[in-house]
Amino acid sequence: MEDQVDQESLVIQLRNAFLQQNLEPFDSRDISKIRNEDRAVLAYLMNSHFNLEKAYNMMTESLKWRKSFGVNDLSKDSFSEELLNDPYLYFKGYGKNGEPLRRS
């Protein structure tokens, strides 16, 4: 139970730290996800072994990268037919909007 409370506290701390900075370098859809989805924030904490500073840096850098590459705007039409039919890519479930996910 105490671990869950600590986890919730870290989620709140990380979210607040992120939202207090200048948000211009980030996509509004990613900001919304951080603001509203605990699991999105928790993923950064888990990947940093619950180190708040590392999680903050990871979140900030990855969300800047996502905006710079337009990740939220990618769709199946963003990729060539050749790439989509590449035998080294394989089906890996479905995205939030029902689109098939492929992985190499």
Side-chain angles (χ1 to χ4, degrees):
M1 184 78 158
E2 187 174 322
D3 286 343
Q4 184 177 355
V5 173
D6 291 343
Q7 218 174 37
E8 290 171 5
S9 173
L10 287 172
V11 166
I12 291 167
Q13 289 177 58
L14 179 55
R15 175 181 286 129
N16 289 342
F18 177 79
L19 294 174
Q20 288 175 6
Q21 67 181 308
N22 173 15
L23 298 176
E24 190 175 320
F26 310 105
D27 187 287
S28 61
R29 293 163 285 190
D30 290 329
I31 295 168
S32 179
K33 192 178 289 186
I34 297 302
R35 184 176 280 126
N36 299 309
E37 297 180 22
D38 287 352
R39 65 185 173 86
V41 179
L42 185 58
Y44 288 99
L45 286 164
M46 291 172 62
N47 285 310
S48 67
H49 303 285
F50 294 92
N51 179 307
L52 198 54
E53 183 178 347
K54 285 181 182 179
Y56 175 83
N57 291 334
M58 188 184 306
M59 177 185 288
T60 300
E61 293 306 311
S62 68
L63 295 181
K64 283 180 185 176
W65 179 89
R66 287 174 58 81
K67 182 176 182 181
S68 73
F69 282 92
V71 171
N72 287 319
D73 297 319
L74 293 175
S75 70
K76 183 178 179 182
D77 296 334
S78 302
F79 302 95
S80 69
E81 198 63 35
E82 179 183 8
L83 180 63
L84 292 173
N85 292 321
D86 188 319
Y88 294 104
L89 294 176
Y90 61 90
F91 179 70
K92 185 67 178 169
Y94 293 94
K96 288 168 76 172
N97 299 321
E99 71 280 10
L101 299 177
R102 294 179 67 103
R103 197 156 186 189
S104 62

